[in-house]
């Protein structure tokens, strides 16, 4: 019987759909098959940005975008299916987050499971976060359950840090205790700032940040934002950490490269502070997500925590680019198997729950 599941992930950067097929019958528990990145068009990226920011969030606009995105999810999944020797069991699609408001009892990830299932002739699982929120949880982060399953150690304390638009940390104690939460901005502020000042969508390797000087008069108030001192469970999104948030701290006479340097340092500091507060004896820190490719950010994290070795999930046998997509393949497997997938100690939900809605072709 097939144990192949497809995971589709489109993060807050909204630049592409990351897709993988994962064989969970492999000797080490999982084997990555046919990874694929499916770029999103400029039109889709702009519509996602407009709806995420609230600039254009009429219901007609939202649902039209959901249909168009779901067609792209379908195309991406079909390209993976075409590369396989057997039919996958199911697709797990995270969808595109356009609003995350757990304090109001909802979160919105655009993905029409019916469209994807019918277009690919494959069972599709979507809407992974709502059940946790209905139980009083944050609905995020969901990856810690996956990280705990495949990356934990009984011999040392480990941290897995996913740096997408938002950074989230998973703290894996050697005694089996798991903690996880969004530490704050990951790439989003750096991405938005470089897009504002240069013809680049992201700061490759942190090269632009490296040219700037960190202004402590800017960095200190950024670090003192109330979100960073809140106790978990907690999650956040682009509704909070955006250019409006940043502009409230700027005087207007800063050199753009100095602001970029401060933003890169902010992400590094808040990640390290989060780890040390809750897992002070950490020995290994593994980075994944787009931020794992930012060498300047990795250097800054390492410089702030000399007691631990900072590397990427490559060291654990998982390419950092694909870890989130792999996680949603695993979440789909949990749903199809009627197994719980949230961790109440992470999200704050009142109990463990089976996550996701299933659509059949």
């Amino acid at each position: 019987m097939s144990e192949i599941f497809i995971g589709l992930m489109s993060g807050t950067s909204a630049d592409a759909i990351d897709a993988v097929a994962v064989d969970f019958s492999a000797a080490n528990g999982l084997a990555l098959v046919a990874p694929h990145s499916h770029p999103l068009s400029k039109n889709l990226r702009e519509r996602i940005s407009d709806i995420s920011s609230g600039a254009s969030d009429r219901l007609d606009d939202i649902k039209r975008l959901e249909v168009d995105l779901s067609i792209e999810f379908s195309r991406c999944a079909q390209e993976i299916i075409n590369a396989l020797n057997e039919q996958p069991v199911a697709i797990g699609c995270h969808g595109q987050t356009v609003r995350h408001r757990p304090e109001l009892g909802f979160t919105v990830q655009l993905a029409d499971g019916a469209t994807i299932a019918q277009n690919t002739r494959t069972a599709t699982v979507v809407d992974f976060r709502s059940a946790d929120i209905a139980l009083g949880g944050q609905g995020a982060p969901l990856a810690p359950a996956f990280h705990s399953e495949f990356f934990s150690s009984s011999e040392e304390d480990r941290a897995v840090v996913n740096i997408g638009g938002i950074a989230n940390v998973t703290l894996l104690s050697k005694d089996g205790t798991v903690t996880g939460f969004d530490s704050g901005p990951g790439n989003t502020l750096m991405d938005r700032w470089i897009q504002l000042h240069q013809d680049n969508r992201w700061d490759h390797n942190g090269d632009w940040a490296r040219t700037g000087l960190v202004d402590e008069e800017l960095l200190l108030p950024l670090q003192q934002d109330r979100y960073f001192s809140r106790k978990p469970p907690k999650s956040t999104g682009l509704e909070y950490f955006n250019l409006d948030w940043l502009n409230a701290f700027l005087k207007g006479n800063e050199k753009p490269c100095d602001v970029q340097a401060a933003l890169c340092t902010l992400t590094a500091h808040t990640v390290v502070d989060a780890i040390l507060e809750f897992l002070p004896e950490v020995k290994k820190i593994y980075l994944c997500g787009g931020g794992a490719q930012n060498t300047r950010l990795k250097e800054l994290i390492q410089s702030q925590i000399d007691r631990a070795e900072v590397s990427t999930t490559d060291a654990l046998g998982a390419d950092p680019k694909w870890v989130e997509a792999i996680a949603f393949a695993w979440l789909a497997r949990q749903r199809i198997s009627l197994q719980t997938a949230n961790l109440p100690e992470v999200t704050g939900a009142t109990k463990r729950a089976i996550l996701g809605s299933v659509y059949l072709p």
Side-chain angles (χ1 to χ4, degrees), residues 298-319:
K298 181 174 179 288
E299 291 168 5
L300 287 170
I301 292 172
Q302 182 67 81
S303 71
Q304 295 294 315
I305 184 164
D306 55 8
R307 75 184 65 180
E309 177 187 348
V310 179
S311 60
T312 74
T313 53
D314 262 330
L316 298 172
D319 187 323

Side-chain angles (χ1 to χ4, degrees), residues 6-165:
I6 290 175
L8 303 178
M9 178 69 201
S10 180
T12 50
S13 61
D15 56 345
I17 302 165
D18 289 336
V20 296
V22 183
D23 184 355
F24 289 101
S25 66
N28 66 345
L30 61 85
L32 185 63
V33 184
H36 176 63
S37 186
H38 184 88
L40 293 178
S41 68
K42 182 179 179 181
N43 174 268
L44 283 174
R45 295 198 308 269
E46 289 175 347
R47 289 162 65 192
I48 291 167
S49 178
D50 287 346
I51 289 172
S52 298
S53 68
S56 175
D57 58 1
R58 294 173 58 249
L59 184 58
D60 282 0
D61 295 332
I62 295 169
K63 296 305 288 186
R64 284 177 57 203
L65 175 61
E66 182 170 54
V67 170
D68 290 344
L69 277 172
S70 298
I71 291 170
E72 293 304 307
F73 287 133
S74 302
R75 289 172 177 164
C76 182
Q78 191 61 55
E79 289 171 345
I80 292 276
I81 293 169
N82 292 344
L84 299 176
N85 294 322
E86 58 184 295
Q87 177 69 15
V89 178
I91 297 166
C93 180
H94 170 265
Q96 180 65 54
T97 298
V98 293
R99 207 65 50 87
H100 183 63
R101 292 284 172 77
E103 73 279 6
L104 298 178
F106 72 90
T107 186
V108 181
Q109 286 75 43
L110 299 183
D112 184 73
T115 296
I116 300 169
Q118 295 304 325
N119 285 348
T120 62
R121 307 304 300 165
T122 305
T124 300
V125 188
V126 296
D127 191 23
F128 287 96
R129 302 187 187 276
S130 293
D132 187 86
I133 287 182
L135 290 166
Q138 294 282 310
L142 296 181
F146 167 73
H147 296 158
S148 177
E149 182 83 7
F150 291 99
F151 298 153
S152 59
S153 167
S154 60
E155 299 179 355
E156 62 185 12
D157 293 345
R158 295 176 171 180
V160 180
V161 185
N162 178 69
I163 306 175

